């Protein structure tokens, strides 16, 4: 009696996948959240990517770095997600006057301001900044993840940072802060 591997996952493959999700699921969710800025969208991204990759998990674990493959899939899903919902972001209320720089409130305001700035960027630019500054990846790896050249990564990062600086200066919060 033979078993068709495409329809019946092997117990070892399921255990490996479950172990990966248990061990790295929170990190992947956090990565997707930083990328998308939306907790529900992050959950949807991770869930959809993991559901698709489960079928091929034995091939993915044969690679040098399965987590990098999963992160790449999350980034690509984020960049191309247009089917199920229009990606619209709500404009938040204005950030109040900054607290003194040594106050904990200042860090919270700065983080909120950074989220607002990231939300204002096109998806590809946001992905480049998240991969560069959150994941601490070099341009070569970012280019490989996004399927583009290193020069594209550098130009996307430069445009994103310039747009963020412009937005900050227009709000009167940039420059010498």
């Amino acid at each position: 009696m033979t078993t068709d591997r495409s329809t019946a996952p092997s117990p070892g493959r399921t255990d490996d996948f479950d172990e990966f999700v248990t061990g790295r699921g929170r990190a992947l969710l956090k990565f997707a959240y930083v990328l998308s800025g939306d907790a529900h969208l992050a959950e949807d991204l991770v869930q959809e990517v993991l559901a698709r990759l489960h079928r091929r998990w034995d091939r993915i674990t044969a690679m040098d770095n399965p987590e990098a493959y999963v992160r790449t899939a999350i980034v690509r899903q984020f960049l191309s997600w247009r089917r199920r919902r229009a990606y619209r972001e709500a404009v938040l209320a204005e950030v109040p006057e900054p607290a003194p720089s040594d106050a904990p409130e200042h860090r919270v305001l700065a983080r909120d301001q950074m989220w607002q700035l990231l939300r204002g960027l096109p998806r590809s630019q946001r992905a480049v900044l998240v991969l560069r500054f959150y994941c601490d990846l070099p341009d070569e790896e970012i280019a490989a993840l996004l399927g583009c050249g290193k020069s594209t990564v550098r130009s996307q990062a430069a445009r994103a940072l310039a747009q963020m600086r412009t937005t900050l200066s227009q709000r009167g919060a940039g420059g010498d802060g």
Side-chain angles (χ1 to χ4, degrees), residues 83-133:
R83 294 185 313 267
R84 291 183 8 195
R85 77 164 91 163
Y87 189 80
R88 302 238 195 291
E89 298 188 7
V91 177
L92 301 177
E94 290 295 315
V95 176
E97 288 298 315
S101 61
D102 59 340
E105 298 85 26
H106 185 310
R107 290 190 301 272
V108 171
L109 290 175
R111 186 177 58 231
D112 289 344
Q113 187 176 46
M114 185 59 63
W115 275 115
Q116 286 182 349
L117 292 170
L118 281 171
R119 284 185 184 119
L121 295 175
R123 286 179 176 216
S124 57
Q125 291 178 6
R126 185 188 315 181
V128 166
L129 291 186
V130 168
L131 291 168
R132 180 181 275 179
F133 296 109

Side-chain angles (χ1 to χ4, degrees), residues 17-93:
F17 182 78
D18 291 346
E19 186 177 311
F20 175 80
V21 171
T22 301
R24 299 304 302 153
R26 287 186 57 80
L28 293 171
L29 188 58
K30 190 173 181 181
F31 171 71
Y33 177 73
V34 171
L35 192 61
S36 67
D38 179 280
H40 298 292
L41 179 59
E43 289 173 357
D44 290 346
L45 284 167
V46 171
Q47 181 178 6
E48 183 157 322
V49 166
L50 289 175
R52 270 190 291 126
L53 297 181
H54 180 261
R55 292 174 287 184
R56 315 186 302 244
W57 193 246
D58 53 342
R59 286 180 276 167
I60 294 168
T61 56
M63 298 176 180
D64 288 338
N65 190 347
E67 184 171 352
Y69 186 88
V70 174
R71 284 181 186 253
T72 300
I74 290 170
V75 169
R76 289 187 177 159
Q77 184 68 22
F78 169 72
L79 291 174
S80 68
W81 207 338
R82 288 179 174 71
R83 294 185 313 267
R84 291 183 8 195
R85 77 164 91 163
Y87 189 80
R88 302 238 195 291
E89 298 188 7
V91 177
L92 301 177

